[in-house]
Amino acid sequence: MVTIKEIANRLGVSTTTVSNVIHGKTSEVSPATIELVQKMLKECGYVPNMGARNLAQNQSRIIGIVMKERKGRYTNLLSDPFYGELVGAVEKVIRSKGYYLMMNISDNMEDIIAGAASWNVDGVIMVSLDYEDVLELRKTYKKPMVLIDCCNCPEDAEEINITVDDRKGAYDVTEYLIRSGHKRMAYFAYNTQGISGVRYEGCIRALKDYGLPWDRESFPVVSVKELGLEGAFESVCYQREDFTAVICNADYYAASLINYMEDRGVSIPEELSVTGFDDNEYARLIRPHLTTVRQSVTDKGVRAVRILTDLINGKEYRERTILLPFKMVVRDSVKILR
Amino acid sequence: MVTIKEIANRLGVSTTTVSNVIHGKTSEVSPATIELVQKMLKECGYVPNMGARNLAQNQSRIIGIVMKERKGRYTNLLSDPFYGELVGAVEKVIRSKGYYLMMNISDNMEDIIAGAASWNVDGVIMVSLDYEDVLELRKTYKKPMVLIDCCNCPEDAEEINITVDDRKGAYDVTEYLIRSGHKRMAYFAYNTQGISGVRYEGCIRALKDYGLPWDRESFPVVSVKELGLEGAFESVCYQREDFTAVICNADYYAASLINYMEDRGVSIPEELSVTGFDDNEYARLIRPHLTTVRQSVTDKGVRAVRILTDLINGKEYRERTILLPFKMVVRDSVKILR
DNA sequence: TTGAAAGCGCTAACAT
DNA sequence: ATGTTAGCGCTTTCAA
């Protein structure tokens, strides 16, 4: 690995000159030398040593993306199409802006904090974290942060939060179900915290608005965290007489549930209606095709990076919450009862 | 961010001493000072500055994973469950070994090479790249590299290649189909290069062994690269009379194809048999459930990281190719013709 | 057992 | 327009 010093020596110029050429400070150096230096740079295949550059400039060109591992759904967060798509989208934009991605998937905040500090990361994207975790990082980390789907982010938070109006999305699905004649439903989710909780509230609100009962008895929650995935499916199967529709918190759950029921001879949507959330590949592949709420995961990622790099470059943003649009997609997994 | 120097100053000791304590060189410093320093370290929340450490030690604790974007299948590589699962698994092991992951998804080798050099990455994992690309990186990058699914990696290559016996896997599926009474099949893949090509060969060999015709006419290739995904599906639909089974190069293709056909009233497997590759979530969700070839993507990732870190620590490996097991999984997407 | 000091590659303030 | 130099935070050799 050739260094600036070497280049300078070979040419009999100073390191400053070489550095200036590298950084395109054309006003500082004569056209002739620029030419010369550039040629030598290319010839020697010079690449900057990021460690050294960062040390000198006190910035790293690294953007961190942190995700908190949740047990029980997947063994591996990135197998979840949501996170896979998100990270892929983020990586692409980060690269195109000349930054590098450092990924941190962990359930250990200390790890995450140490990582951000150690690498002197220029900015951080936090995905689906509780605001308490954000605050914990904030104690030591002072550079720009953008949140994605932070469900309990206060209005006056310092960080910008990018999300969709999940409450409204859930409201709309529930409303659609009610208008289709369903009166008794169940809510299927990992738990009722975070985003799942927000959506749960949306469902409840719709039930209330339409004068339907909404207590835990009448609108039961099937929790994957409590029962495990298999257990949750069983539970739905078992209580099946109690409701006519299941609102699932993710397409993956919905598709798996449909699969499970069909395998046991329960036909969907004739005997049970099912809805999802996200509108990813699963929604289109499952049969019957899934009625669900579409959100653009890629958009979330792209927006997050754009805003973050803007912030890094000193731009100011007024709005604290960016609400991306969602759209109900009606397919074939809901039976029209009237 | 507190530095070693500061810690040293506060305690009235030298930076050497602090550094020694940090690195656990207990033989170099008295128990009393160790105690003292450790307390102060904790109190100040010291974290090392990686940039500086790397500069001083000429190593980075970063492991790079490089993947080459292929157009046409997904807009975003990580939406592919294969890559998602792989990266997730790799990240987890890397972290557990005290390294950091830097991801590079690009179709531009120059980018990739510059990245590895700039960050002075300690080791690189290359996923599904042609060996020519590996060699190109090798020209400038001299540290350990491990390959995953490098399909044209020579026996005597310097790098270790981790893969499954794809030729055999494809052979087995084809054989299964033949034994189930199928005589005319088609091959559905992105193209016939790389892994897809190897599998194609496996199919051909089985056809030959069983005395069936194997030319392009008798065993047509449906190429997603040429026709696009939709076009490829259409093409299968259109030529449907010419074969009784389609061997797909990925579960995603198989599941999507089944979906497409069923949507058009072609019932699977009665009117057309379909097989996949990978055995991921899609295989279990699609109806009929997919007969496919299982491989453990997570294993691939885990092995790659283990070997790479061993290599980084100077361990030697004899074998150049690690062949992971695969397993045919028979489900319901193939019709038994006799 | 402890410390002083050089140096890793680069940048930037300050001469010239 | 070009060069000198200090310093970023850390490791490591060598001396005390």
Side-chain angles (χ1 to χ4, degrees), chain A residues 162-304:
Chain A
I162 301 174
T163 186
V164 307
D165 192 344
D166 285 288
R167 190 173 281 103
K168 182 70 163 54
Y171 185 98
D172 287 4
V173 185
T174 314
E175 184 175 46
Y176 171 78
L177 250 12
I178 296 171
R179 290 197 173 161
S180 302
H182 294 270
K183 291 186 174 8
R184 299 292 292 269
M185 305 158 218
Y187 182 65
F188 191 108
Y190 182 68
N191 57 15
T192 47
Q193 294 178 333
I195 289 281
S196 327
V198 173
R199 292 180 184 162
Y200 180 63
E201 286 169 31
C203 298
I204 300 258
R205 192 174 302 179
L207 292 171
K208 282 184 183 166
D209 283 359
Y210 282 82
L212 291 169
W214 52 270
D215 56 291
R216 285 261 170 168
E217 186 80 8
S218 315
F219 181 55
V221 171
V222 183
S223 160
V224 173
K225 184 177 185 181
E226 268 173 38
L227 305 169
L229 200 49
E230 278 293 311
F233 293 150
E234 269 171 40
S235 162
V236 171
C237 214
Y238 185 74
Q239 309 175 56
R240 180 153 49 89
E241 306 299 324
D242 297 347
F243 37 74
T244 58
V246 181
I247 299 170
C248 295
N249 185 46
D251 285 349
Y252 174 69
Y253 286 155
S256 304
L257 178 61
I258 291 176
N259 191 39
Y260 183 96
M261 296 309 244
E262 292 271 359
D263 279 349
R264 278 151 193 81
V266 180
S267 82
I268 313 289
E270 287 70 22
E271 301 180 55
L272 185 70
S273 295
V274 176
T275 66
F277 243 100
D278 285 350
D279 195 27
N280 58 31
E281 207 62 61
Y282 294 139
R284 275 153 292 189
L285 282 180
I286 199 69
R287 186 161 306 274
H289 299 319
L290 203 60
T291 292
T292 187
V293 178
R294 173 183 303 167
Q295 62 168 321
S296 170
V297 179
T298 296
D299 276 0
K300 276 187 180 170
V302 172
R303 289 294 284 272

Side-chain angles (χ1 to χ4, degrees), chain B residues 41-70:
Chain B
L41 247 18
K42 181 144 290 170
E43 209 175 299
C44 300
Y46 171 83
V47 286
N49 178 322
M50 282 304 192
R53 180 178 282 185
N54 301 344
L55 191 56
Q57 297 191 137
N58 190 33
Q59 46 122 308
S60 63
R61 296 249 109 197
I62 298 178
I63 287 176
I65 184 168
V66 346
M67 289 163 283
K68 219 168 162 185
E69 189 93 70
R70 290 178 211 293

